[in-house]
Amino acid sequence: MYKEIFKRALDLLLKKKNILIKALFIPFIILTTIENYYPSDMQIINLNVNTGLSLFLIALSFLISILVSITVHRILLLPENQTPTFGILTLSKREFSFMLKVIYMTVLLIVFALILYGVLLLSKPIIEVLFGSLVSNIFSLISIVIIGVSVLVLFSRMSLTFPTIAVDKPIGLYDSLALTKNHKTLVFFTITVIPLVLAMLLGFVYGLVIEFLMALISQKLSVLYSLLNIFITVLIIAFISVTYEYLINNQAEKKEEKEV
Protein backbone atom coordinates (compact mmCIF):
# COMPACT_ATOMS: atom_id res chain seq x y z
CA MET A 1 0.00 0.00 0.00
CA TYR A 2 2.95 2.36 0.59
CA LYS A 3 4.20 1.67 -2.92
CA GLU A 4 0.68 2.14 -4.28
CA ILE A 5 0.28 5.56 -2.64
CA PHE A 6 3.79 6.66 -3.66
CA LYS A 7 3.21 5.63 -7.29
CA ARG A 8 -0.27 7.16 -7.38
CA ALA A 9 1.01 10.51 -6.08
CA LEU A 10 3.78 10.73 -8.69
CA ASP A 11 1.50 9.49 -11.47
CA LEU A 12 -1.10 12.16 -10.68
CA LEU A 13 1.53 14.90 -10.59
CA LEU A 14 2.89 13.83 -13.98
CA LYS A 15 -0.54 13.33 -15.51
CA LYS A 16 -1.85 16.71 -14.37
CA LYS A 17 1.39 18.71 -14.55
CA ASN A 18 0.15 21.05 -17.30
CA ILE A 19 -3.06 21.80 -15.40
CA LEU A 20 -1.06 22.43 -12.22
CA ILE A 21 1.38 24.74 -13.99
CA LYS A 22 -1.45 26.91 -15.35
CA ALA A 23 -3.38 26.91 -12.08
CA LEU A 24 -0.36 27.83 -9.95
CA PHE A 25 1.21 30.41 -12.25
CA ILE A 26 -0.46 33.47 -10.68
CA PRO A 27 0.10 32.34 -7.05
CA PHE A 28 3.72 31.59 -7.97
CA ILE A 29 4.23 35.12 -9.33
CA ILE A 30 2.67 36.66 -6.21
CA LEU A 31 4.69 34.52 -3.78
CA THR A 32 7.89 35.11 -5.76
CA THR A 33 7.33 38.86 -5.66
CA ILE A 34 6.80 38.75 -1.90
CA GLU A 35 9.79 36.49 -1.24
CA ASN A 36 12.31 38.14 -3.57
CA TYR A 37 11.38 41.79 -3.90
CA TYR A 38 10.15 42.80 -0.45
CA PRO A 39 12.88 45.17 0.82
CA SER A 40 13.37 43.43 4.16
CA ASP A 41 16.99 44.62 4.35
CA MET A 42 16.20 48.29 3.70
CA GLN A 43 16.92 50.88 6.37
CA ILE A 44 13.82 51.15 8.56
CA ILE A 45 12.70 54.77 8.57
CA ASN A 46 9.22 54.32 9.99
CA LEU A 47 9.01 51.22 12.17
CA ASN A 48 5.21 51.26 12.36
CA VAL A 49 4.78 51.46 8.57
CA ASN A 50 7.37 48.74 7.98
CA THR A 51 5.79 46.47 10.60
CA GLY A 52 2.35 46.99 9.08
CA LEU A 53 3.66 46.13 5.63
CA SER A 54 5.39 43.02 6.98
CA LEU A 55 2.22 41.80 8.67
CA PHE A 56 0.23 42.44 5.49
CA LEU A 57 2.70 40.44 3.37
CA ILE A 58 2.75 37.59 5.88
CA ALA A 59 -1.06 37.48 5.84
CA LEU A 60 -1.07 37.63 2.03
CA SER A 61 1.46 34.78 1.80
CA PHE A 62 -0.66 32.70 4.18
CA LEU A 63 -3.80 33.40 2.13
CA ILE A 64 -2.08 32.51 -1.17
CA SER A 65 -0.75 29.30 0.39
CA ILE A 66 -4.31 28.36 1.39
CA LEU A 67 -5.55 28.98 -2.15
CA VAL A 68 -2.66 26.93 -3.57
CA SER A 69 -3.45 24.03 -1.23
CA ILE A 70 -7.14 23.97 -2.15
CA THR A 71 -6.35 24.31 -5.86
CA VAL A 72 -3.89 21.39 -5.80
CA HIS A 73 -6.23 19.15 -3.79
CA ARG A 74 -9.08 19.82 -6.23
CA ILE A 75 -6.96 19.27 -9.34
CA LEU A 76 -5.65 15.95 -8.04
CA LEU A 77 -8.92 14.59 -6.64
CA LEU A 78 -11.61 15.98 -8.94
CA PRO A 79 -12.29 16.03 -12.69
CA GLU A 80 -10.51 18.75 -14.66
CA ASN A 81 -13.56 21.00 -15.11
CA GLN A 82 -14.07 21.32 -11.33
CA THR A 83 -11.19 23.79 -10.89
CA PRO A 84 -10.66 27.14 -12.70
CA THR A 85 -7.89 27.10 -15.32
CA PHE A 86 -5.82 29.66 -13.43
CA GLY A 87 -6.61 28.27 -10.01
CA ILE A 88 -8.82 29.48 -7.19
CA LEU A 89 -8.25 33.19 -6.69
CA THR A 90 -11.36 34.19 -4.75
CA LEU A 91 -12.57 33.53 -1.24
CA SER A 92 -15.70 31.60 -0.34
CA LYS A 93 -17.01 29.62 2.62
CA ARG A 94 -14.72 26.74 1.60
CA GLU A 95 -11.56 28.86 1.72
CA PHE A 96 -12.48 30.41 5.09
CA SER A 97 -13.27 26.96 6.50
CA PHE A 98 -9.90 25.66 5.27
CA MET A 99 -8.13 28.63 6.81
CA LEU A 100 -9.85 28.24 10.17
CA LYS A 101 -9.01 24.52 10.24
CA VAL A 102 -5.34 25.32 9.61
CA ILE A 103 -5.32 27.80 12.50
CA TYR A 104 -7.30 25.45 14.76
CA MET A 105 -5.02 22.50 14.06
CA THR A 106 -1.91 24.63 14.59
CA VAL A 107 -3.18 25.73 18.00
CA LEU A 108 -4.06 22.13 18.94
CA LEU A 109 -0.60 20.90 17.95
CA ILE A 110 1.11 23.64 19.94
CA VAL A 111 -1.01 22.91 23.03
CA PHE A 112 -0.38 19.18 22.61
CA ALA A 113 3.38 19.78 22.36
CA LEU A 114 3.37 22.04 25.42
CA ILE A 115 1.45 19.46 27.48
CA LEU A 116 3.94 16.75 26.51
CA TYR A 117 6.82 19.09 27.26
CA GLY A 118 5.37 19.92 30.67
CA VAL A 119 4.91 16.26 31.60
CA LEU A 120 8.42 15.31 30.47
CA LEU A 121 9.92 18.40 32.12
CA LEU A 122 8.39 17.42 35.46
CA SER A 123 9.86 13.94 35.04
CA LYS A 124 13.42 15.19 34.49
CA PRO A 125 14.27 16.04 38.16
CA ILE A 126 12.99 12.62 39.26
CA ILE A 127 15.15 10.91 36.62
CA GLU A 128 18.17 12.96 37.72
CA VAL A 129 17.70 12.06 41.38
CA LEU A 130 17.26 8.35 40.62
CA PHE A 131 19.83 7.86 37.84
CA GLY A 132 22.13 10.88 37.76
CA SER A 133 22.71 13.85 35.44
CA LEU A 134 24.00 11.83 32.48
CA VAL A 135 20.83 9.75 32.24
CA SER A 136 18.80 12.90 32.84
CA ASN A 137 20.47 14.64 29.87
CA ILE A 138 19.89 11.60 27.66
CA PHE A 139 16.28 11.61 28.81
CA SER A 140 15.99 15.28 27.76
CA LEU A 141 17.22 14.49 24.26
CA ILE A 142 14.88 11.52 23.95
CA SER A 143 12.03 13.71 25.20
CA ILE A 144 12.60 16.17 22.35
CA VAL A 145 12.42 13.30 19.84
CA ILE A 146 9.26 11.93 21.50
CA ILE A 147 7.56 15.34 21.36
CA GLY A 148 8.56 15.89 17.72
CA VAL A 149 7.39 12.45 16.56
CA SER A 150 4.15 12.69 18.58
CA VAL A 151 3.29 16.07 17.05
CA LEU A 152 4.02 14.76 13.54
CA VAL A 153 1.87 11.67 14.14
CA LEU A 154 -1.02 13.83 15.31
CA PHE A 155 -0.53 16.21 12.39
CA SER A 156 -0.56 13.37 9.86
CA ARG A 157 -3.77 11.95 11.32
CA MET A 158 -5.63 15.28 11.42
CA SER A 159 -4.41 16.60 8.06
CA LEU A 160 -6.87 14.49 6.07
CA THR A 161 -9.52 17.06 6.92
CA PHE A 162 -7.95 19.43 4.37
CA PRO A 163 -8.58 17.49 1.15
CA THR A 164 -12.16 16.87 2.32
CA ILE A 165 -12.75 20.62 2.68
CA ALA A 166 -11.10 21.27 -0.68
CA VAL A 167 -13.43 18.86 -2.50
CA ASP A 168 -16.52 20.15 -0.65
CA LYS A 169 -16.99 17.02 1.47
CA PRO A 170 -15.73 18.44 4.76
CA ILE A 171 -15.01 16.41 7.86
CA GLY A 172 -13.74 17.69 11.20
CA LEU A 173 -10.34 17.11 12.77
CA TYR A 174 -11.79 14.47 15.08
CA ASP A 175 -13.45 12.74 12.11
CA SER A 176 -10.04 12.68 10.47
CA LEU A 177 -8.66 10.98 13.59
CA ALA A 178 -11.44 8.39 13.34
CA LEU A 179 -10.72 7.82 9.63
CA THR A 180 -7.04 7.14 10.36
CA LYS A 181 -7.63 5.13 13.54
CA ASN A 182 -6.54 1.82 12.00
CA HIS A 183 -3.95 3.36 9.69
CA LYS A 184 -1.72 5.38 12.03
CA THR A 185 1.57 4.03 10.69
CA LEU A 186 0.46 4.35 7.09
CA VAL A 187 -0.54 8.01 7.33
CA PHE A 188 2.53 8.87 9.40
CA PHE A 189 4.82 7.58 6.66
CA THR A 190 2.85 8.71 3.60
CA ILE A 191 1.98 12.17 4.90
CA THR A 192 5.03 12.97 7.01
CA VAL A 193 8.09 10.74 6.57
CA ILE A 194 8.12 10.13 2.80
CA PRO A 195 7.27 13.73 1.78
CA LEU A 196 9.81 15.15 4.26
CA VAL A 197 12.57 12.84 3.01
CA LEU A 198 11.77 13.73 -0.61
CA ALA A 199 11.57 17.43 0.27
CA MET A 200 14.98 17.35 1.98
CA LEU A 201 16.58 15.47 -0.94
CA LEU A 202 15.08 17.83 -3.51
CA GLY A 203 15.95 20.86 -1.40
CA PHE A 204 19.56 19.73 -1.03
CA VAL A 205 20.19 18.67 -4.64
CA TYR A 206 18.37 21.52 -6.36
CA GLY A 207 19.60 23.96 -3.75
CA LEU A 208 23.17 23.17 -4.80
CA VAL A 209 22.22 23.56 -8.47
CA ILE A 210 20.52 26.92 -7.81
CA GLU A 211 23.51 28.19 -5.81
CA PHE A 212 25.83 27.15 -8.64
CA LEU A 213 23.69 28.94 -11.24
CA MET A 214 23.46 32.04 -9.06
CA ALA A 215 27.25 32.15 -8.70
CA LEU A 216 27.80 31.42 -12.41
CA ILE A 217 25.12 33.59 -14.02
CA SER A 218 23.27 35.99 -11.71
CA GLN A 219 22.04 36.38 -8.15
CA LYS A 220 18.61 37.13 -9.63
CA LEU A 221 18.25 33.41 -10.24
CA SER A 222 17.36 33.16 -6.56
CA VAL A 223 13.82 33.24 -7.98
CA LEU A 224 14.36 29.51 -8.61
CA TYR A 225 14.11 28.97 -4.85
CA SER A 226 10.48 30.10 -5.03
CA LEU A 227 9.88 27.58 -7.81
CA LEU A 228 11.52 24.86 -5.71
CA ASN A 229 9.42 25.81 -2.66
CA ILE A 230 6.14 25.65 -4.54
CA PHE A 231 7.11 22.32 -6.12
CA ILE A 232 7.88 20.83 -2.69
CA THR A 233 4.56 22.22 -1.38
CA VAL A 234 2.67 20.57 -4.26
CA LEU A 235 4.50 17.29 -3.61
CA ILE A 236 3.48 17.28 0.08
CA ILE A 237 -0.13 18.15 -0.79
CA ALA A 238 -0.18 15.35 -3.37
CA PHE A 239 0.71 12.76 -0.73
CA ILE A 240 -2.03 14.06 1.58
CA SER A 241 -4.55 13.93 -1.29
CA VAL A 242 -3.61 10.42 -2.38
CA THR A 243 -3.56 9.09 1.18
CA TYR A 244 -7.06 10.48 1.69
CA GLU A 245 -8.18 8.93 -1.61
CA TYR A 246 -6.69 5.56 -0.62
CA LEU A 247 -8.38 5.50 2.80
CA ILE A 248 -11.76 6.55 1.41
CA ASN A 249 -11.58 3.84 -1.27
CA ASN A 250 -10.46 1.32 1.33
CA GLN A 251 -13.36 2.30 3.58
CA ALA A 252 -15.83 1.91 0.70
CA GLU A 253 -14.45 -1.53 -0.20
CA LYS A 254 -14.80 -2.77 3.37
CA LYS A 255 -18.36 -1.45 3.51
CA GLU A 256 -19.23 -3.33 0.30
CA GLU A 257 -17.68 -6.55 1.68
CA LYS A 258 -19.80 -6.30 4.83
CA GLU A 259 -22.96 -5.78 2.79
CA VAL A 260 -22.18 -8.85 0.67
Side-chain angles (χ1 to χ4, degrees):
M1 54 187 169
Y2 293 93
K3 183 179 178 181
E4 182 182 342
I5 291 173
F6 185 87
K7 185 176 182 301
R8 174 67 174 163
L10 297 185
D11 285 346
L12 274 177
L13 288 175
L14 289 172
K15 180 182 176 182
K16 301 193 174 186
K17 62 181 184 298
N18 292 331
I19 302 172
L20 286 166
I21 289 170
K22 288 180 184 178
L24 299 179
F25 179 73
I26 294 175
F28 168 70
I29 295 298
I30 296 172
L31 290 174
T32 300
T33 302
I34 293 172
E35 290 175 11
N36 293 279
Y37 296 101
Y38 172 57
S40 58
D41 57 347
M42 68 180 288
Q43 184 177 2
I44 298 174
I45 299 174
N46 188 324
L47 183 61
N48 291 329
V49 172
N50 196 71
T51 301
L53 179 59
S54 297
L55 291 174
F56 170 75
L57 291 177
I58 290 170
L60 181 60
S61 297
F62 174 66
L63 178 59
I64 297 298
S65 298
I66 295 295
L67 296 178
V68 166
S69 299
I70 294 172
T71 298
V72 174
H73 280 307
R74 289 184 68 83
I75 289 173
L76 296 179
L77 294 172
L78 297 175
E80 184 176 341
N81 60 359
Q82 296 294 310
T83 308
T85 303
F86 292 101
I88 297 169
L89 300 173
T90 57
L91 296 176
S92 67
K93 182 180 177 181
R94 176 180 58 219
E95 283 69 42
F96 281 112
S97 177
F98 196 102
M99 199 182 309
L100 289 173
K101 278 293 191 299
V102 170
I103 295 170
Y104 182 34
M105 188 176 79
T106 302
V107 171
L108 278 178
L109 290 175
I110 291 172
V111 171
F112 177 68
L114 289 174
I115 290 171
L116 279 181
Y117 177 75
V119 171
L120 294 171
L121 187 66
L122 290 173
S123 303
K124 186 181 176 182
I126 300 172
I127 298 293
E128 187 169 359
V129 170
L130 294 175
F131 304 103
S133 59
L134 178 61
V135 175
S136 176
N137 291 333
I138 294 172
F139 174 77
S140 297
L141 292 175
I142 294 173
S143 296
I144 294 171
V145 174
I146 291 172
I147 292 170
V149 171
S150 299
V151 169
L152 289 175
V153 168
L154 187 58
F155 163 78
S156 65
R157 293 189 59 198
M158 292 195 299
S159 63
L160 293 190
T161 189
F162 299 122
T164 70
I165 296 171
V167 299
D168 301 316
K169 296 179 180 178
I171 64 172
L173 296 177
Y174 297 106
D175 295 321
S176 182
L177 290 174
L179 179 63
T180 58
K181 182 179 179 180
N182 299 319
H183 306 278
K184 299 181 186 72
T185 304
L186 174 69
V187 296
F188 176 64
F189 276 92
T190 58
I191 291 177
T192 303
V193 177
I194 295 174
L196 281 179
V197 170
L198 290 176
M200 286 190 291
L201 288 174
L202 288 170
F204 176 73
V205 174
Y206 285 99
L208 290 177
V209 173
I210 292 169
E211 287 295 327
F212 174 74
L213 291 174
M214 286 170 60
L216 185 66
I217 301 173
S218 169
Q219 290 296 312
K220 291 183 178 180
L221 287 176
S222 62
V223 68
L224 293 175
Y225 274 114
S226 298
L227 185 61
L228 177 61
N229 290 338
I230 203 163
F231 177 76
I232 289 173
T233 300
V234 170
L235 182 67
I236 293 170
I237 294 170
F239 274 95
I240 296 174
S241 290
V242 172
T243 301
Y244 162 72
E245 181 186 59
Y246 175 84
L247 292 184
I248 289 297
N249 291 339
N250 182 262
Q251 191 180 60
E253 288 174 4
K254 286 184 177 180
K255 188 177 180 180
E256 286 179 3
E257 287 175 2
K258 286 182 179 178
E259 290 176 353
V260 172

